[in-house]
C-alpha cells in the first residue's frame, strides 16, 4: 500500500530490501537468543519480573508439553493460511516472477480467507460449532478498540483532506525540507528512463 501510494513499484529495489530484511532479522534473532541464554542462566537479569505462573512452571520442571497431532494440524492450517495470504497479496508480475499468477487480493478477499481459516481451525481443534463461534466472537471483541482508533484516524484524514488542511501542512513541510540534501529527504519524483 505504501509503495502504491508513493508511486513506486513493488519490485523497485527489492534486492536491497530483501538483503536489509535478512540482515535485520538475523540481528534481532541473535539479540533475542543472547537475551534468552542470559535469562536462563540468571533469571534476575530479566527486564520483566517473574509472575506467579512463571514461578509455578519453574517449580513443575519448566512446563515442557508435547504437542498433540491435533495441535500440529491446527498450527499447520495457521501457517498455510498466512503463506497463502502472502501468495495472494504479492503482485508477482511487479517482482518479475512470471511462473506465479498475481491474484491481486485485498481486504474483502483476505477477510473471507481469515473467516474460513478461523472456522476450520476451530473445528479441527475440537471446539465444535458453539466453541468456534464463541472463540471467533471473543477474538473479534479484542479488536474493537483498534477498529475504533482506525475509524477515528480515517475520519480525521477525510476531514483534513476535505478542508484542504492536508495540502497546507504538506506544502509547509515541503518548504522546510526543499533546500536540504537528498540524504535528509526522500526524492520528490521518480527518475525517468532515457
Amino acid at each position: 500500500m505504501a509503495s502504491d501510494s508513493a508511486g513506486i513499484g513493488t519490485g523497485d529495489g527489492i534486492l536491497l530490501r530483501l538483503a536489509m530484511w535478512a540482515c535485520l532479522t538475523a540481528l534481532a534473532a541473535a539479540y533475542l537468543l543472547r537475551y534468552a541464554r542470559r535469562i536462563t542462566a540468571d533469571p534476575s537479569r530479566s527486564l520483566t519480573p517473574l509472575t506467579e505462573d512463571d514461578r509455578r512452571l519453574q517449580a513443575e520442571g519448566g512446563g515442557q508439553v508435547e504437542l498433540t497431532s491435533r495441535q500440529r494440524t491446527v498450527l499447520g492450517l495457521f501457517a498455510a493460511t498466512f503463506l497463502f495470504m502472502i501468495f495472494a497479496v504479492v503482485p508477482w508480475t511487479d517482482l518479475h516472477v512470471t511462473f506465479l499468477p498475481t491474484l491481486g487480493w485485498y481486504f474483502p478477499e483476505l477477510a473471507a480467507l481469515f473467516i474460513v481459516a478461523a472456522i476450520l481451525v476451530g473445528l479441527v481443534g475440537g471446539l465444535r460449532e458453539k466453541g468456534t463461534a464463541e472463540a471467533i466472537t471473543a477474538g473479534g471483541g479484542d479488536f474493537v478498540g483498534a477498529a475504533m482508533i482506525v475509524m477515528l484516524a480515517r475520519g480525521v484524514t477525510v476531514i483534513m483532506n476535505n478542508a484542504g488542511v492536508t495540502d497546507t501542512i504538506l506544502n509547509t513541510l515541503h518548504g522546510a525540507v526543499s533546500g536540504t540534501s537528498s540524504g535528509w529527504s526522500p526524492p520528490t519524483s521518480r527518475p525517468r528512463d532515457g
Side-chain angles (χ1 to χ4, degrees), residues 20-70:
M20 289 172 53
W21 172 79
C23 289
L24 293 174
T25 301
L27 283 173
Y31 174 79
L32 287 173
L33 288 171
R34 179 178 163 266
Y35 178 75
R37 279 194 291 273
R38 281 181 29 197
I39 299 309
T40 302
D42 182 11
S44 66
R45 296 182 75 181
S46 174
L47 296 175
T48 57
L50 289 175
T51 64
E52 290 301 319
D53 288 337
D54 294 335
R55 289 187 182 93
R56 183 179 50 77
L57 285 173
Q58 282 181 346
E60 293 173 359
Q64 296 293 331
V65 178
E66 189 68 30
L67 289 177
T68 65
S69 61
R70 177 177 277 185

Side-chain angles (χ1 to χ4, degrees), residues 75-161:
L75 286 174
L77 280 169
F78 179 77
T81 300
F82 275 89
L83 289 173
F84 184 76
M85 176 197 68
I86 293 168
F87 168 74
V89 170
V90 171
W92 297 105
T93 53
D94 287 356
L95 300 174
H96 310 293
V97 177
T98 56
F99 62 91
L100 291 174
T102 296
L103 299 181
W105 281 24
Y106 204 57
F107 285 117
E109 295 88 357
L110 294 177
L113 173 68
F114 285 127
I115 288 172
V116 170
I119 292 169
L120 280 174
V121 163
L123 294 176
V124 169
L127 296 179
R128 300 201 180 280
E129 293 84 4
K130 184 177 179 184
T132 300
E134 288 172 354
I136 291 172
T137 303
D142 292 341
F143 288 101
V144 170
M148 292 294 289
I149 291 171
V150 169
M151 180 184 69
L152 290 172
R154 179 65 180 146
V156 168
T157 303
V158 168
I159 291 169
M160 287 178 62
N161 286 340

Side-chain angles (χ1 to χ4, degrees), residues 173-185:
L173 292 173
H174 179 266
V177 298
S178 63
T180 61
S181 158
S182 62
W184 291 101
S185 65

